[in-house]
């Protein structure tokens, strides 16, 4: 069965075509700069070199049209007929409280998704655009929505309610939702398998450390707490987002600098985090390079980043009353031995002991990086959100 995965951003569409149940990626690519000058499609079939095609791509419908055309193209394609695509799986960032699992897209579901725009105005509109674009380009082929929030839907109330007037939850559904759920779900399952056990027997903390970053306490397979909250701004320090700060700072700064809502939002989401502190870059590779060159602000950004991961490791171990496994994933978590080392340094008292050689050798591949004696196992699992979407989509289609 071939499943097309679509992940739409404001000006981009990422896609992968999977062959299931082999979990094999036949082709993947991305359309970028949609609606701007210099729009390009990069496409990589599994058995041929990557191609880049420049074209006028005005909107998401046109982007999906280009994707289908290249998947069918005699030179770069991997299918002969569009009917070979059994279904399309879409990443949808916010599922609110109602979407606790992936679901088949119907007109009623589209209505519900539209209502959720209020909760995720930066993400859901693009996801909805992507679904509409595939409905237009691939009529008759089922679409499945897979939610970033769904894995977190079993958090206890004391973890998801903010200590604000309770009426705000009743009126506006203001609560912790959590994000990156597909990856926290995937890597916790994989890590347990790698350790020869199952998730329902252990306590884990999964660290998704990419440009966006979040950690989740996974107790017996259930997300019991997670660092991102009502929006993806809360929690860890990120590439350009601040993560946890005193909320009074925002009010203070809005007064002092006469910031509008929009400007305050931009400061917190785009000009903070690694780039804000270092003044160097939002990219951890460049932060590490500058730190090694002696740039103090880069070292400070690095130290804050790793310190905050460590604080949550301690907090979540306490919240779960123990810890068996720490999982590192996503761009930084998978690739950076120095970040992993710094995040768990000094945690031997909790039974966390990294094997230096294994840690340094683990780069973008599944690896156990703790010593044999370490009470808490430390594991690297590359992120694979696309595969989770493909598997969920296939499961729903098979049940139809
Ligand atoms: P993602 O959002 O998962 O694609 O992750 C992007 C982040 O991973 C960026 O901050 C990159 O700098 C970081 N990253 C990728 N490779 C490395 C590496 N070898 N060392 C440190 N950071 C890396």
């Amino acid at each position: 069965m071939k499943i097309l995965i679509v992940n739409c951003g404001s000006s981009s569409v990422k896609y992968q075509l999977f062959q299931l149940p082999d979990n094999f990626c036949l082709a993947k690519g991305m359309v970028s700069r949609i609606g701007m000058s210099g729009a390009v499609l990069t496409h990589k079939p599994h058995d041929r070199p990557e191609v880049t095609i420049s074209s006028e791509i005005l909107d998401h419908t046109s982007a999906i049209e280009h994707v289908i055309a290249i998947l069918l193209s005699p030179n770069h394609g991997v299918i002969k007929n569009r009917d070979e695509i059994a279904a399309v799986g879409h990443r949808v960032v916010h599922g609110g409280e109602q979407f606790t699992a992936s679901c088949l897209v119907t007109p009623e579901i589209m209505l519900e998704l539209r209502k959720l725009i209020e909760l995720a105005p930066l993400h859901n509109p693009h996801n909805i655009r992507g679904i509409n674009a595939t409905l237009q380009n691939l009529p008759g082929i089922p679409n499945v929505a897979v939610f970033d929030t769904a894995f977190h839907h079993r958090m206890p109330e004391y973890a998801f309610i903010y200590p604000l007037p309770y009426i705000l939850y009743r009126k506006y559904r203001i609560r912790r939702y959590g994000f990156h759920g597909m990856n926290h779900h995937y890597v916790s399952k994989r890590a347990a398998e790698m350790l020869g056990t199952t998730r329902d027997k252990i306590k884990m903390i999964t660290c998704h450390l990419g440009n966006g970053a979040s950690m989740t306490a996974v107790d017996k397979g259930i997300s019991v707490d997670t660092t991102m909250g009502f929006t993806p701004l809360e929690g860890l320090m990120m590439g350009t987002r601040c993560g946890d700060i005193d909320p009074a700072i925002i009010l203070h700064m809005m007064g002092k600098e006469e910031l509008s809502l929009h400007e305050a939002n931009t400061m917190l989401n785009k000009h903070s985090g690694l780039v804000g502190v270092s003044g160097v870059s939002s990219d951890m590779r460049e932060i590490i390079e500058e730190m090694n060159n002696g740039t103090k602000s880069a070292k400070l950004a690095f130290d804050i980043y790793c310190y905050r991961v460590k604080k949550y490791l301690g907090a979540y171990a306490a919240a779960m009353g123990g810890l068996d496994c720490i999982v590192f994933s996503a761009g930084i978590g998978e690739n950076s031995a120095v970040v992993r080392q710094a995040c768990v340094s000094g945690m031997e008292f909790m039974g966390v002991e990294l094997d230096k050689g294994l840690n340094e050798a683990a780069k973008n591949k599944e690896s156990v990086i703790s010593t044999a004696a370490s009470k808490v196992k430390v594991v690297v699992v590359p992120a694979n959100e696309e595969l989770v979407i493909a598997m969920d989509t296939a499961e729903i289609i098979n049940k139809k």
Side-chain angles (χ1 to χ4, degrees):
M1 174 191 275
K2 294 187 179 78
I3 306 281
L4 177 64
I5 295 312
V6 172
N7 182 357
C8 285
S10 58
S11 62
S12 69
V13 172
K14 291 188 197 146
Y15 65 93
Q16 290 198 29
L17 186 68
F18 280 96
Q19 174 74 54
L20 294 180
D22 328 343
N23 299 350
F24 185 71
C25 176
L26 293 163
K28 63 175 165 185
M30 177 168 175
V31 185
S32 41
R33 299 187 60 83
I34 297 171
M36 301 180 218
S37 63
V40 286
L41 163 62
T42 38
H43 173 81
K44 170 81 182 79
H46 70 98
D47 52 355
R48 277 152 289 162
E50 183 173 282
V51 280
T52 303
I53 293 164
S54 301
S55 180
E56 193 178 30
I57 304 175
L58 292 181
D59 55 20
H60 288 74
T61 306
S62 160
I64 297 284
E65 205 177 306
H66 279 76
V67 171
I68 309 291
I70 201 149
L71 289 171
L72 286 164
S73 111
N75 290 336
H76 314 298
V78 287
I79 52 171
K80 295 212 159 47
N81 191 313
R82 62 184 66 205
D83 295 341
E84 284 178 52
I85 301 173
V88 185
H90 297 265
R91 175 180 181 215
V92 179
V93 170
H94 214 308
E97 289 194 311
Q98 56 271 56
F99 292 108
T100 55
S102 307
C103 65
L104 191 68
V105 175
T106 61
E108 294 75 40
I109 294 287
M110 285 304 274
L111 272 181
E112 288 299 311
L113 291 180
R114 270 190 212 104
K115 284 189 206 154
L116 288 174
I117 289 178
E118 202 178 74
L119 288 178
L122 299 181
H123 296 101
N124 276 29
H126 316 305
N127 304 151
I128 292 172
R129 242 169 250 142
I131 299 175
N132 281 329
T134 45
L135 285 168
Q136 276 182 47
N137 278 289
L138 294 169
I141 294 179
N143 288 270
V144 170
V146 183
F147 300 94
D148 248 357
T149 45
F151 181 55
H152 303 298
H153 83 278
R154 291 172 75 183
M155 265 186 291
E157 206 174 15
Y158 57 76
F160 77 70
I161 293 289
Y162 289 108
L164 290 164
Y166 194 79
I167 188 78
L168 297 181
Y169 171 57
R170 286 231 197 88
K171 257 172 113 171
Y172 304 113
R173 304 330 269 175
I174 290 182
R175 52 160 285 179
R176 177 181 309 285
Y177 290 97
F179 299 88
H180 291 143
M182 293 168 221
N183 201 44
H184 289 295
H185 163 63
Y186 172 74
V187 301
S188 54
K189 200 155 168 280
R190 271 305 299 144
E193 283 163 8
M194 285 164 66
L195 297 173
T197 181
T198 52
R199 271 193 315 193
D200 56 351
K201 298 201 177 75
I202 57 175
K203 297 177 191 295
M204 319 173 83
I205 301 175
T206 49
C207 310
H208 177 111
L209 307 182
N211 193 28
S214 68
M215 289 166 62
T216 296
V218 185
D219 194 356
K220 301 195 176 71
I222 293 167
S223 163
V224 292
D225 204 350
T226 190
T227 56
M228 283 180 169
F230 178 62
T231 74
L233 186 57
E234 194 184 347
L236 299 175
M237 179 187 198
M238 302 177 219
T240 61
R241 296 183 201 138
C242 57
D244 296 338
I245 60 166
D246 179 346
I249 296 170
I250 306 160
L251 307 177
H252 184 76
M253 288 320 300
M254 285 178 83
K256 282 265 177 216
E257 304 249 322
E258 294 183 12
L259 299 179
S260 67
L261 268 181
H262 176 73
E263 286 164 334
N265 198 31
T266 305
M267 178 185 84
L268 301 171
N269 276 289
K270 305 259 189 239
H271 301 153
S272 299
L274 290 175
V275 72
V277 174
S278 71
V280 167
S281 173
S282 63
D283 189 304
M284 185 55 98
R285 278 167 296 202
E286 289 171 27
I287 295 286
I288 294 171
E289 203 179 305
E290 277 304 308
M291 175 172 80
N292 293 338
N293 289 339
T295 307
K296 283 206 172 101
S297 62
K299 164 94 171 84
L300 178 61
F302 178 90
D303 287 346
I304 300 172
Y305 187 94
C306 300
Y307 172 67
R308 289 186 162 219
V309 172
K310 187 188 295 186
K311 268 212 303 198
Y312 270 111
L313 286 173
Y316 284 171
M320 291 189 288
L323 182 62
D324 300 301
C325 172
I326 298 169
V327 189
F328 284 103
S329 185
I332 300 169
E334 286 159 29
N335 292 300
S336 179
V338 31
V339 170
R340 292 189 298 252
Q341 166 62 46
C343 292
V344 302
S345 70
M347 292 184 73
E348 292 79 10
F349 79 96
M350 262 176 54
V352 183
E353 219 178 273
L354 272 201
D355 180 305
K356 196 165 180 284
L358 291 178
N359 182 37
E360 277 164 15
K363 219 168 170 37
N364 196 19
K365 64 171 196 277
E366 289 189 349
S367 333
V368 177
I369 58 170
S370 43
T371 62
S374 183
K375 192 174 90 43
V376 176
K377 301 296 167 206
V378 187
V379 172
V380 173
V381 183
N384 201 342
E385 285 158 318
E386 296 78 12
L387 183 60
V388 175
I389 304 176
M391 294 196 299
D392 266 27
T393 303
E395 197 181 317
I396 286 179
I397 298 307
N398 286 333
K399 273 196 217 140
K400 257 204 337 154

